[in-house]
Amino acid sequence: MTKTSESLVLVTCKAIAKHLSSTNMHYNWVIVLTWLSSFLGSKALPEVIKLGGLSESGNEVLQSAFRYAIDRINSDNYLLPNSRLSANVQQLEYQDSFQASRKACDLLDQGVAAIFGPQSIEPSATVQSTCDVLNVPHIETLWDFRARPDNHTVNLFPFANSLSKAYRDLVKSKEWKNFAIIYEENEALIRLEELLKDPLMREIKQKVLVKQLVPGQEYRKLLKEIGKAGVKNLIVDVPTENIVSFLKHAKEVDMMSEYYNYFITSLDLHTIDLEEFQYGGTNISGFRLVDDTAPEFEDISQVWHSGSVGFSHRKTKDKTYLKNITTEVALMYDAVKLFASALHEMDRRGQDVNLPAISCETEQPWSQGSLIVNYMRTITARGLTGEIKFDRYGFRSEFNLKLVDLTHEGLQEAGDWNLNVGIRITGNSTKAFEEVKASLKNKTLMITTIINPPYISLKEDTTLKDNNRYEGYCVDLIEEIAKVLGFKYVFREVADRTYGKKNEWGEWNGMIRELIEGKADLAVVDLTVTYEREDAVDFTMPFMNLGISILFKRPTKKVPKLFSFLSPLSLEVWVYMVTAFLGVSLFLFVVARFSPYEWTNPHPCDPHPDTLENQFTLLNTLWFTGGSLLQQGCEVTPRAMSTRVVSGIWWFFTLIMVSSYTANLAAFLTIQRMTSPIESAEDLAKQTSIQYGCLRSGSTQAFFKHSNFPTFKRMWNYMESARPSVFVDSNMKGVERVKKGNYALLMESTSIEYIIERNCDLMQIGGLLDSKGYGIATPSGSPYRTLLSSAILKLQEGGILQMLKQRWWKNEEKYCVMEETSHSVSASELGLDNVGGVFLVLSTGLCVACLIVILEFTWKLRTIPIEERESLCVELSRELKFAIMCGGDSKPVRKESSPPSNDLSLIQFSSLGNFNSKEAIS
Ligand code: ASP
């Protein structure tokens, strides 16, 4: 092929390439060019290929890495066997863009095939634009979030967006309920962009703190602030060289305990000496790009260890030699290797490459620059940072990251990440578990608690010290757990004597706060596991199950009323009865008057009497109906049919009424009713006369506060607005209030059980309003939670928990004999209280009879002439004496004053009340 036809083909080829490149079809372009170059015949690469490097002051390590990479490739017989790479490195000031641009032109003038570096974003961007204009490959190894597709820059650093996804995936996999992002440079927020815009952030919005550190300033103040906010998970984005001082400051402010988790975004965590922190139990993790399984890895690290490239390195068995290879160094090596591989591939395909001097002044672009760039982007190489490949836009969006965790043995691989699979945790969890178990053995755990028998109470002996002062179910429980896990512990009462409640600003009080602030390792008492608390702390599996119920004073026996014999019939019925009695008597009187058969001969010996007599006088009628009402007979009996009908009906009426009365009276007098005014929470909610409340700042209060159930809502509205307050500061104070009466305490069933066992005058009302459990609380993310849970499970299966419950709940001394409630009734003998009223009525009747007899006596005395009688008192006492002395059945007749004009008035009264006709006639 002639020179003219050759250049014609090249021109055509470039035209096609230009068109294809404008449509982002680099692959096709390469294929077309490859085909054309084969068609043109094979051409050799130049013997010496110059590579330009721009090294900023302070980046000498990188310069050495660049030179080392070139040397290594030159000594490689396989890569570029016919050519030799030569380094042309230009030194420039740190972040000096002007100098960078000038030095880049100098390099191009010398005919370099590519420019590597510099490492800072601004100068690199300047070099990039120069290279873009002149079509010269520009190779970067820096994190650049402004990277655009379709330029002449090949950046080996993982694509910013993909890296951000890796950070997001890791944080999500940790399932943190809250965290803080601490960063120094503004770009950090771009690095964490994917995490910040993830829906997860909306879910836990209030619980994410984003804080910027002022570069160079101490970290302690900010760390303290974060610690105070109860945040235990931190994402730290500080320059690699500041990581150690950051961690040291964290240690100084007590933020390097086992409860803290740090995720360091730097990819160079493996290069830092973390020995100082590896035994503290703090979970420190990060990503590593450097792949220690790369074929040349061992080789390179050994060479660098020997100091041949100017570093002091250690080579030990335990991968500490990894420390020698920073991400930058590895990327620089890979950059040179990738470039060499691309040239090698071009050479293999017979691609002609010439290296002219390129002038920044003339701005004449290099015809083969783009070709090399596209070769670099299409081939796949394996380097110190794993597989190097680029996406269709020229970004290294697919790469592998190793997840590393700090353990007692230093940084260990715990998983990996790649774009397609996401995060994969492969860490040895059994080993981690064993490590935690071992660390717990030497620990003294601080336990926060609250005095509430039978869970925890103070012993009577006040001379006792420390843990010996306490006794109770929870003391025994922790003792048993400590036996299983082998830790020591110290009990300390919570300062504000509350369990833990969140206020409207999201701040906790009580034991929950002490856990959040790291003042305690465990909270052990009757601490209820709730959803809200789970957000702030961690709970073990429950060691006891319960629910809310009502504690109330047992109703006392009703004192029977004096006139309780009236109770069987209502007042209304009594009134009707009296009315019926009077009405029927009157009716009978009238009927008897009408009926001719009721008029009889008063002297049967006289067949023709002048007068007839009717026995149903008004008084006799009343006596008759009264006698039948009281189920007694009387000498008056009806003779006529009409009066017999009236009497029969009246007797029937009295039969039914008296039977009903008797039946009901038996029930009333023999059964003691002990009704409680409330039977359930609904009853409580409906009324206002009995006060009710619960423990302040506890889960019971929170239950009512957050309940949407109408009854509980109503109860909460009442409790919240009641004045004086119906909330109590402790269960014991609540019990005292219940005992005083007219107050019901909403309390947890297990506590109620304990209290009613010892207070026979108290009882539980109704069933359980909810169902929950008590658990041991630990700070969020505590490594001991799983261990404690398994110890509880073990105790449960061994029956120890049941035994402890028996020990602390059963009351040997006092056994309450349950008195009958309204649910169970039985008869008992009647006391004077029950029938006293009847006696009263009897005595009243007798008194009335006495009064009447005195009246009768006085009335009769009036008929005796004055000269014949003495004073009323003397007469009365004489008569009384006569009656008491049982002086006989007869006595002399006393003279009466003669009636004015009636001879027939031979009234024969023998004495007051004694009738003796014989004596009177004689
Ligand atoms: N055990 C409860 C708590 O943990 C106390 C209560 O509210 O009854 O808050």
Side-chain angles (χ1 to χ4, degrees), residues 232-301:
K232 302 241 168 3
N233 309 308
L234 292 92
I235 300 170
V236 184
D237 191 299
V238 296
T240 309
E241 58 274 19
N242 293 349
I243 291 175
V244 170
S245 57
F246 176 87
L247 294 177
K248 276 187 176 162
H249 285 197
K251 198 173 177 183
E252 281 163 25
V253 294
D254 280 339
M255 284 177 71
M256 283 303 263
S257 67
E258 55 275 56
Y259 306 121
Y260 284 88
N261 301 298
Y262 291 86
F263 167 55
I264 315 279
T265 58
S266 165
L267 297 177
D268 284 327
L269 190 63
H270 62 280
T271 62
I272 298 169
D273 189 359
L274 295 170
E275 204 170 339
E276 189 184 341
F277 313 106
Q278 72 192 38
Y279 301 104
T282 318
N283 184 5
I284 301 174
S285 52
F287 278 130
R288 192 186 73 212
L289 182 66
V290 175
D291 178 15
D292 60 346
T293 60
E296 58 266 71
F297 182 83
E298 193 114 338
D299 221 12
I300 293 173
S301 61

Side-chain angles (χ1 to χ4, degrees), residues 108 129-136 358-360 363-366:
L108 292 173
S129 55
T130 308
C131 291
D132 265 352
V133 172
L134 302 172
N135 281 8
V136 177
I358 300 161
S359 159
C360 291
E363 289 194 3
Q364 182 65 41
W366 181 28

Side-chain angles (χ1 to χ4, degrees), residues 499 526-528 533 695 697-701 731 748 774:
Y499 285 80
D526 54 326
L527 188 66
T528 313
R533 286 176 181 168
L695 188 70
S697 293
S699 62
T700 311
Q701 194 184 43
N731 277 350
E748 286 164 335
Y774 294 145

Side-chain angles (χ1 to χ4, degrees), residues 808-907:
W808 288 102
W809 261 253
K810 263 267 100 14
N811 182 15
E812 304 296 341
E813 297 149 26
K814 200 167 170 186
Y815 177 71
C816 298
V817 181
M818 293 301 148
E819 289 177 4
E820 306 309 328
T821 64
S822 58
H823 305 294
S824 71
V825 289
S826 74
S828 61
E829 64 191 14
L830 298 180
L832 193 63
D833 287 346
N834 308 110
V835 289
V838 188
F839 286 94
L840 192 71
V841 172
L842 177 66
S843 19
T844 318
L846 296 179
C847 294
V848 172
C850 289
L851 266 177
I852 292 172
V853 82
I854 292 167
L855 279 177
E856 281 176 346
F857 185 83
T858 320
W859 183 257
K860 193 65 193 166
L861 196 64
R862 214 172 43 89
T863 60
I864 295 169
I866 296 176
E867 58 280 7
E868 291 288 322
R869 61 179 151 122
E870 291 178 60
S871 73
L872 179 66
C873 291
V874 175
E875 289 285 345
L876 264 178
S877 63
R878 191 192 304 137
E879 208 58 34
L880 193 64
K881 216 166 165 186
F882 178 78
I884 292 170
M885 298 296 283
C886 303
D889 292 336
S890 59
K891 64 177 185 179
V893 177
R894 294 189 72 173
K895 208 174 172 186
E896 289 181 19
S897 45
S898 49
S901 62
N902 197 350
D903 285 352
L904 285 173
S905 61
L906 291 170
I907 301 168

